[in-house]
Amino acid sequence: MKDRIQLLDIVMDIASTKTASEATIQYLKDESSKVIYFVNSETLLLLQENRDWQNIVQESELILPGNASVNGSVDEVLGHKRDPFFFEGYFDSILDYAVSEGHEILLVAENKDKFTFVQENIHEKRPYLTMSGMFLTKQEESADHIVNEINSVAPDILLMALEEKRQLKLLQDYRNQMNAGVILFTGNILYNKAVTESEVPEPIQKLRIENLYKWFQKGGRIKTFYNNIRMKLKLKQRTKE
């Protein structure tokens, strides 16, 4: 990708939904492994503190917005509205292509609840998708164990839906050991998407607090809010400098 912009200390792609999905589909046709990293405000703050993580993320084939705050900040730095990027549309395109080509998908999630939410959300719309996965338990599987599980499947598409620091450490230490066609580091995006689209229990519907229920279900909202503010302040400071 050629169209990129610097956001704090990371250079991100400003690709539209269509451009990013077409590039990803082309990566799936290649024989070599490719990495796509979805950056949220926490990612940007962590990369400020760790140059090694910054460098390894920068080597990704695509670096895309991982939440609304980062998405909006890209436009602010550009100084104008770009062709929009929506994760939902992007992900739908990739899954539709995976179904049509019979590609195998492996999901690695932070825990059983998140794994179940994401898996059911994906299979509800695409029951014929070839998908397997694993989730971390209270014993916190080692990085070697996670990578061995990935390599035993060797998926066409690997969905990494893990806590941010764990993802960055895996990318740093095992980038060349993970046997997968395209690796998408998605963080909490898939889980939050699944919660947003899930059916609310009937008692909650009767109380008319569906939005509040989903807000709490997503978890980490206060942390995300705080990280978004910190990111915005750093961007303003960088602009002044």
Side-chain angles (χ1 to χ4, degrees):
M1 300 294 294
K2 295 181 179 179
D3 295 327
R4 289 189 159 185
I5 189 171
Q6 184 162 330
L7 201 63
L8 292 181
D9 293 323
I10 194 75
V11 178
M12 293 185 57
D13 291 279
I14 56 174
S16 65
T17 306
K18 183 175 183 292
T19 301
S21 58
E22 287 178 349
T24 304
I25 288 171
Q26 184 58 52
Y27 296 153
L28 284 166
K29 296 177 182 178
D30 296 340
E31 292 186 3
S32 59
S33 179
K34 309 288 185 182
V35 169
I36 299 171
Y37 207 103
F38 291 88
V39 171
N40 57 41
S41 52
E42 182 182 4
T43 320
L44 288 172
L45 295 171
L46 288 171
L47 296 184
Q48 291 260 292
E49 303 168 0
N50 191 312
R51 183 58 61 89
D52 291 335
W53 286 352
Q54 186 184 127
N55 291 337
I56 194 67
V57 169
Q58 199 68 76
E59 293 175 3
S60 303
E61 276 68 31
L62 276 176
I63 305 172
L64 299 168
N67 66 4
S69 184
V70 172
N71 210 0
S73 295
V74 171
D75 284 342
E76 290 175 12
V77 173
L78 276 173
H80 62 83
K81 288 278 188 182
R82 71 194 193 282
D83 289 340
F85 172 80
F86 297 109
F87 175 80
E88 293 79 4
Y90 166 87
F91 195 59
D92 283 343
S93 296
I94 303 309
L95 291 186
D96 287 342
Y97 180 77
V99 171
S100 68
E101 296 297 314
H103 284 327
E104 183 165 9
I105 296 179
L106 180 71
L107 168 67
V108 181
E110 190 68 32
N111 55 51
K112 184 177 180 180
D113 288 342
K114 291 187 175 182
F115 175 84
T116 302
F117 252 107
V118 174
Q119 184 187 47
E120 290 180 351
N121 176 259
I122 292 175
H123 270 153
E124 183 178 355
K125 297 178 181 178
R126 296 171 179 84
Y128 299 110
L129 187 69
T130 305
M131 182 176 176
S132 58
M134 65 170 291
F135 53 85
L136 307 188
T137 64
K138 292 181 180 179
Q139 284 72 37
E140 292 196 358
E141 285 78 359
S142 67
D144 282 333
H145 175 76
I146 295 172
V147 173
N148 286 338
E149 288 294 315
I150 292 169
N151 291 343
S152 68
V153 178
D156 299 291
I157 301 173
L158 173 60
L159 302 177
M160 301 294 289
L162 297 173
E163 182 266 338
E164 200 65 35
K165 288 183 179 179
R166 200 190 308 273
Q167 288 195 156
L168 290 166
K169 193 76 168 65
L170 272 171
L171 180 61
Q172 178 186 11
D173 295 341
Y174 293 92
R175 167 64 185 91
N176 296 322
Q177 282 73 47
M178 289 186 283
N179 185 11
V182 171
I183 308 171
L184 279 71
F185 286 87
T186 63
N188 275 326
I189 304 177
L190 294 176
Y191 174 69
N192 290 340
K193 177 178 179 294
V195 170
T196 299
E197 296 176 356
S198 65
E199 184 176 349
V200 175
E202 188 174 341
I204 301 297
Q205 294 181 31
K206 290 180 178 179
L207 292 172
R208 299 182 182 279
I209 55 172
E210 293 95 330
N211 291 336
L212 182 63
Y213 171 82
K214 290 186 176 183
W215 192 88
F216 279 107
Q217 278 288 101
K218 289 181 180 179
R221 304 297 289 178
I222 295 175
K223 178 183 178 183
T224 299
F225 177 74
Y226 178 61
N227 284 335
N228 287 342
I229 291 176
R230 287 181 61 202
M231 179 196 70
K232 293 286 187 182
L233 290 174
K234 285 182 176 290
L235 282 170
K236 285 185 178 180
Q237 181 181 1
R238 187 65 58 87
T239 300
K240 289 180 181 180
E241 293 173 354

